[in-house]
Amino acid sequence: MTRAFVALGGNLGDVPETLRRALDALAALPRTRLVAHSRFYRTPPWGLREQPPFINAAAELETTLTPHQLLAAMLQIERDAGRVRAGERWGPRTLDLDILHMDGEARYDKRLTLPHPRIAERAFVLLPLAELAPDLELSGQGRVDALLALADTTGCEPLP
């Protein structure tokens, strides 16, 4: 089994319910176990600022799926949640799932980069990821807790 970390987020519809369903769908993937998930965080939009705030979380999985198999499964979970990838980048969405890190995997191809290349820039990823793995070393980026200490977390707050 390989340990994998996944980011979850969205800002359209009943996002907490969508995230709960996405966690259930991740847990139901073949040859995969949901180990833990973070709290949900309300966070300001990133990239395209003129949109509703997001709700974000992170999940830790154990899986024997390859990175591309996991990515394909996550894209299907997004489609099942009503995600349409026809809009602008960083725009509003019902659900966004990203593989952040998989133990022993470093790759850069046209479909997938591991670890995720923009983790260090994103408090909305670092906050929930730090709940699960503060000492995780991200190749070429640093430890999650050190990256979080440098991140601007203004406007990020855990949901009650």
Side-chain angles (χ1 to χ4, degrees):
M1 295 289 255
T2 299
R3 185 172 67 152
F5 292 93
V6 173
L8 303 90
N11 69 341
L12 295 177
D14 184 349
V15 180
E17 180 61 23
T18 299
L19 296 185
R20 283 189 284 278
R21 287 183 182 173
L23 288 166
D24 289 344
L26 289 168
L29 291 176
R31 305 181 339 250
T32 300
R33 183 173 78 89
L34 176 64
V35 175
H37 67 83
S38 70
R39 295 178 287 177
F40 293 173
Y41 287 83
R42 180 175 292 110
T43 63
W46 190 91
L48 181 63
R49 301 239 182 239
E50 298 301 318
Q51 60 180 317
F54 277 77
I55 298 176
N56 296 96
E60 179 180 356
L61 308 174
E62 287 182 347
T63 187
T64 60
L65 298 175
T66 68
H68 284 286
Q69 288 171 329
L70 180 57
L71 177 62
M74 290 171 31
L75 291 172
Q76 185 60 53
I77 293 168
E78 286 181 355
R79 284 189 295 274
D80 292 346
R83 171 83 186 264
V84 177
R85 288 185 174 267
E88 56 196 315
R89 190 169 192 177
W90 301 312
R93 73 251 347 245
T94 55
L95 179 63
D96 187 37
L97 299 174
D98 288 308
I99 304 173
L100 300 174
H101 170 84
M102 288 184 81
D103 285 349
E105 291 288 341
R107 67 179 54 231
Y108 181 83
D109 63 46
K110 67 180 191 176
R111 291 190 63 221
L112 183 62
T113 301
L114 290 174
H116 193 287
R118 290 177 294 282
I119 293 172
E121 303 168 15
R122 298 175 172 181
F124 66 86
V125 170
L126 290 167
L127 277 166
L129 183 58
E131 281 187 35
L132 302 175
D135 60 346
L136 178 65
E137 183 72 33
L138 299 167
S139 177
Q141 298 184 54
R143 277 176 51 126
V144 169
D145 55 0
L147 295 170
L148 179 57
L150 299 172
D152 179 5
T153 59
T154 304
C156 299
E157 59 184 17
L159 293 182

